[in-house]
Amino acid sequence: MSEYIRVKGNIIEKTGGVSRVYAKGGIEHNSKGKIEYFAESYSYGEPEKPPIKIIDGAVKEIELLTALDQGSDNAKSDKSQPGMIFGNTYHFKVKSYIKNPPINLLNIKWMLKYHSLSQNKWLEIPLSAKGDSVKITLNDEDMCGRYIYVRAYVSNPETEAEYKEWMHNRFRWFNRLKIHQQIKDRVKDPWKISQEYSSLCGMAALFYIMIKRDPKAYEKLAKQLFRTGQYKIDTYIIKPHEKALSMYETKTTDANYKSMRMQEIDWIVLATTRSGESLNDQFVYNGFENSDMDMIKAVNWPDMLTRMCKEVAGYANAESFGLNLLSIKDKKGIGAKAHDYVSNSDLLELQTINKKYNAGHTILMMIDSDMIEDVSSYDPKNLTTNSHWVVYEGGLTFFDVHGNITTKVNEVEKVFFSIYTWGFDPVTQIDEFGNDDNKYKRPLIYKKQSISTKSFKSNYYGYIEAF
């Protein structure tokens, strides 16, 4: 039924039901949307899809012949789900046709489709293979953590067969919900990064200062590294060493992983970055530390960390002071003890550090962990067992023998300053889980206590300045 109304020379047509427009060749344009005839508009619902034209030989169904692998379901249940894995080859085959198979099977074409997070758009990738089956090697990292759509068709890829399958994140056994929450927590509170029982103090300090400088850069890095297994910053690529690719298969239930006691995202970011910095093929860090040699492989060398302040953390300038191998070696032994007895050069340098910090520069200090416990030591063995990176966080205060504040270095008996280390908030000295350092009561991270000048001098090596 139609109704025609003439308004100032125009004709308004109200049409019930479906409005159809036909073109030559029998192609139908079907619209139940809005029609306007120079006056009031009318809506008739959502557009209808065109009817599927049955084409002889069109593909109806596809099947996957290759077995899938388990990985995290990335849900609150924290169970596993099947999916495809990066680098594996999968065999797909046409299972059925809408009517009859095509006379020539080589007329069957294939394509992949997925939504790319890196490009924020849907990508359609035609494949060169033809025929009723295809073997596809999934070697594009960008497909990780996405649903992959495999299409087989003779005439129209939009209306013929499609097979949908999940492709696991590169670190497939880690739960995305947990990972993303941990990333969010660290963007808000960078100090929640913690090396725990690993030797990754330098990497922890590096990413702590990175978040403070550019939290969005860390968020993007952490999410993409978890999903794709690598992350590129200009020409620098973060990923495991080629001989440590087994890191991708790590499970949170593995004894090696559990012994590190690290949160998932901290292990992925810190251990993966350090693995890529392995000295050579014979000295590869694989993310785990079951021996003293493994700990040495994780050592964060001063030159390396200075360079990474620019390459990874994004600082324009980075320079080290007192951290060449000879200077570090001279900090221990009888000669160093005699020097510290008569010299206050380390305290003067600490004042310089504080001035640079107050000027807005970032300071990474290389020390022996004995300093945090207020223990004086000149044992050369500490160079390989106790060396530790912390981030200076200001608050420098000198105390004389009577406990009074002083500015004269020759009167200083005790010293205090704030640091970031081991996942403690430099301000509150509380960790991510609400715990303080009550178990160890290490002065520099427990209730803002001071340490002796002897402890500071004997355990201080030098620093990196970044800005």
Side-chain angles (χ1 to χ4, degrees), residues 76 120 244 276 429:
K76 290 182 179 180
N120 192 28
Q429 283 81 38

Side-chain angles (χ1 to χ4, degrees), residues 240-297:
H241 189 277
E242 289 301 313
K243 289 193 173 182
L245 299 183
S246 59
M247 292 175 69
Y248 291 129
E249 297 302 310
T250 297
K251 297 180 179 179
T252 56
T253 55
D254 290 344
N256 279 343
Y257 174 80
K258 292 173 69 175
S259 67
M260 306 284 276
R261 301 191 183 182
M262 297 176 69
Q263 294 291 289
E264 287 88 341
I265 194 58
D266 292 342
W267 183 82
I268 289 174
V269 172
L270 308 188
T272 298
T273 304
R274 184 60 187 87
S275 177
E277 286 284 345
S278 298
L279 289 175
N280 53 55
D281 289 350
Q282 285 71 46
F283 206 68
V284 175
Y285 181 68
N286 68 355
F288 304 112
E289 299 175 25
N290 299 314
S291 66
D292 290 343
M293 182 55 68
D294 288 337
M295 294 175 65
I296 294 175
K297 292 176 182 177

Side-chain angles (χ1 to χ4, degrees), residues 376-435:
S376 177
S377 174
Y378 289 92
D379 189 346
K381 290 186 296 184
N382 285 7
L383 283 172
T384 56
T385 59
N386 288 15
S387 60
H388 186 58
W389 289 99
V390 301
V391 180
Y392 181 82
E393 288 292 356
L396 179 62
T397 310
F398 290 155
F399 301 93
D400 63 19
V401 67
H402 302 294
N404 298 318
I405 296 176
T406 182
T407 57
K408 300 177 180 179
V409 293
N410 62 328
E411 294 180 354
V412 178
E413 288 291 322
K414 285 185 173 294
V415 60
F416 169 79
F417 52 90
S418 293
I419 59 170
Y420 153 76
T421 189
W422 290 320
F424 286 95
D425 184 339
V427 177
T428 66
Q429 283 81 38
I430 301 297
D431 69 10
E432 183 173 7
F433 308 102
N435 303 313

